Amino acid sequence: MKFNTKTIHGGQHDVDPAFGSVMPPIYQTSTYSQTTPGGHKGFQYSRSGNPTRAALERSLASIENGNYGLAFGSGLAAIDAVIKLLKPGDEVISTNDLYGGSYRLFTKIYEDFGIKFHFIGMGDASNIESFVNDKTKMVWIETPTNPMMNIIDIKACAAIAKKHSVLLAVDNTFATPYLQQPLDLGADIVMHSATKYLGGHSDVVMGGLVVRDKELADRLYFIQNASGAICGPQDAFLVLRGIKTLHLRVQRHCENGKAIAHYLKQHPKIEKVYWPGFEDHPNHKIAKSQMSDFGGMLSFVTKGNKYEDAIKIVESLKVFTLAESLGGVESLAGHPASMTHASIPKAEREKTGIVDALIRLSVGIEDVEDLIEDLKQAIG
Ligand code: PLP
């Protein structure tokens, strides 16, 4: 099955044996009757499993070319489950340009449990080698990164991870499986904030994991059930519905993102635009080889790098909404330094380019002329 067919049909065969509904019913139940202890029809209690969630988990596995999917109550809950594979004393190598919430989870929660994180530049993946030691158990990457749109070579990371027998986990939230399929490039775990492009309509918070290996899936399922950070059936239904149009939406996100990146690049008041589709992006070649297009996310800095200028722009936008999050049909603008990445200390943030004048755009699927007009009036 090809990708566009998988988004609609992947893992969805016979979702309602009772009445043949095309969409799976929303099984809004916490428990399931048993004829005799253990005599159930495959589900016993909805933390352990729910048919609507199971339909979504099969869809996630299908679109990421994996064998097992797991859905969680948020992207961070999914990341949390992955880190719970580790033990005190273990080490993780991650990127220095990481989503602020992931950084906060790693440094403010898991460092206290004795797990050590190295945040390093991964523009050149071979940097990872010098941080690997016998305590290293995982490499955690995000590509494109949030919000600097850096690109990390997944294949190169996978080769290093394999050589040292450590797990490679890839946060594929920005790219989506429509543009990039990390398991095919050698990753062991793909993670999603399904809140973003997979859900696609800014109406649900959810996380997902996909793996190929049965033993790893069993360990993650054990954590999902034992820790309990599952999503509810109504949310599972919404994300499943969102996934059915993922290919069409992301295609338009890419077209609009490209037009806006080029518009901003030539604007006299804009200093720099971060978008992996530009040939002068430092890892453009890698982006081109591992992604089928460049997505709808981009960031830019105004000339003079003044905080007030950035705030004035985000407050003046009328079609773009000033809001956290990304990946929905509507265009959003954000100010990472004071919003999504405020949990990263200023000095750390600025080292990676998250300066006070940086603005991040999640370009939606509206008519691009309206989006450009909006940016024009806001930038002045
Ligand atoms: N990973 C990335 C790249 C994100 O952008 C986000 C949220 O913005 C997350 C993970 C966390 O996901 P959630 O907000 O669903 O917990």
Side-chain angles (χ1 to χ4, degrees):
M1 218 186 264
K2 292 171 93 171
F3 187 82
N4 298 349
T5 313
K6 280 187 181 179
T7 61
I8 296 162
H9 298 291
Q12 303 307 297
H13 177 66
D14 202 14
V15 287
D16 176 22
F19 298 108
S21 67
V22 169
M23 282 300 283
I26 300 170
Y27 283 93
Q28 193 73 52
T29 186
S30 60
T31 193
Y32 307 81
S33 69
Q34 306 191 12
T35 47
T36 180
H40 54 77
K41 294 178 178 148
F43 295 92
Q44 310 168 58
Y45 183 61
S46 280
R47 170 162 39 71
S48 313
N50 171 286
T52 319
R53 191 175 93 220
L56 169 67
E57 293 178 330
R58 292 193 303 270
S59 168
L60 291 173
S62 168
I63 58 174
E64 280 290 3
N65 287 343
N67 296 324
Y68 306 95
L70 294 154
F72 293 82
S74 71
L76 276 168
I79 302 173
D80 183 74
V82 174
I83 303 303
K84 281 181 174 146
L85 292 166
L86 306 175
K87 294 196 168 50
D90 288 349
E91 296 191 8
V92 178
I93 303 171
S94 190
T95 163
N96 60 4
D97 173 24
L98 191 65
Y99 166 59
S102 309
Y103 179 86
R104 180 178 55 199
L105 177 68
F106 294 170
T107 56
K108 296 282 193 303
I109 308 265
Y110 281 106
E111 279 187 351
D112 284 351
F113 284 85
I115 296 169
K116 187 168 175 183
F117 295 86
H118 302 270
F119 299 99
I120 68 166
M122 289 189 177
D124 177 356
S126 66
N127 278 349
I128 295 171
E129 284 277 7
S130 46
F131 289 85
V132 177
N133 62 53
D134 55 8
K135 294 182 179 147
T136 310
K137 293 288 161 5
M138 187 181 291
V139 175
W140 180 280
I141 67 170
E142 196 182 294
T143 180
T145 62
N146 179 1
M148 296 313 297
M149 306 306 299
N150 287 315
I151 298 292
I152 298 171
D153 186 337
I154 300 175
K155 240 186 201 164
C157 291
I160 296 167
K162 282 227 157 51
K163 179 173 153 200
H164 298 283
S165 303
V166 306
L167 291 171
L168 173 65
V170 180
D171 182 335
N172 204 27
T173 299
F174 267 37
T176 84
Y178 179 71
L179 300 177
Q180 170 176 286
Q181 297 186 315
L183 297 179
D184 287 352
L185 299 168
D188 300 289
I189 302 173
V190 177
M191 175 264 151
H192 276 280
S193 168
T195 314
K196 311 295 171 7
Y197 289 102
L198 298 189
H201 296 76
S202 306
D203 51 9
V204 65
V205 173
M206 188 185 293
L209 298 176
V210 180
V211 301
R212 282 186 179 161
D213 181 69
K214 165 95 171 72
E215 195 191 324
L216 185 55
D218 288 346
R219 287 172 68 201
L220 287 166
Y221 172 70
F222 181 84
I223 293 166
Q224 184 196 39
N225 184 43
S227 290
I230 48 132
C231 63
Q234 175 100 25
D235 287 352
F237 178 90
L238 286 173
V239 172
L240 197 51
R241 181 168 70 165
I243 288 173
K244 286 172 191 280
T245 55
L246 179 70
H247 49 302
L248 296 175
R249 288 184 286 106
V250 178
Q251 212 174 317
R252 180 62 75 87
H253 284 294
C254 290
E255 286 165 23
N256 287 358
K258 180 179 180 182
I260 289 177
H262 284 280
Y263 168 73
L264 291 171
K265 196 170 194 191
Q266 54 76 48
H267 198 292
K269 291 192 178 166
I270 303 303
E271 178 70 38
K272 176 119 185 102
V273 182
Y274 298 92
W275 179 66
F278 289 132
E279 282 187 11
D280 60 1
H281 180 287
N283 273 344
H284 173 70
K285 278 206 183 107
I286 296 168
K288 227 174 149 177
S289 72
Q290 68 187 18
M291 298 171 76
S292 57
D293 205 340
F294 304 108
M297 295 301 301
L298 59 96
S299 298
F300 65 97
V301 179
T302 50
K303 276 205 175 123
N305 188 22
K306 286 204 193 100
Y307 172 85
E308 309 76 63
D309 290 348
I311 299 301
K312 184 171 163 285
I313 292 170
V314 293
E315 287 180 351
S316 309
L317 289 164
K318 294 186 168 64
V319 182
F320 281 84
T321 303
L322 173 60
E324 306 247 354
S325 203
L326 60 107
V329 289
E330 61 290 291
S331 292
L332 302 181
H335 183 248
S338 60
M339 295 168 74
T340 44
H341 291 66
S343 54
I344 302 179
K346 188 173 161 74
E348 283 301 310
R349 244 195 273 133
E350 294 199 336
K351 268 191 228 160
T352 58
I354 309 178
V355 293
D356 283 348
L358 185 81
I359 294 171
R360 188 190 76 180
L361 299 181
S362 169
V363 179
I365 62 172
E366 301 94 336
D367 278 315
V368 74
E369 295 81 1
D370 291 330
L371 300 177
I372 290 177
E373 207 47 49
D374 194 29
L375 287 164
K376 197 188 251 177
Q377 64 78 25
I379 297 168

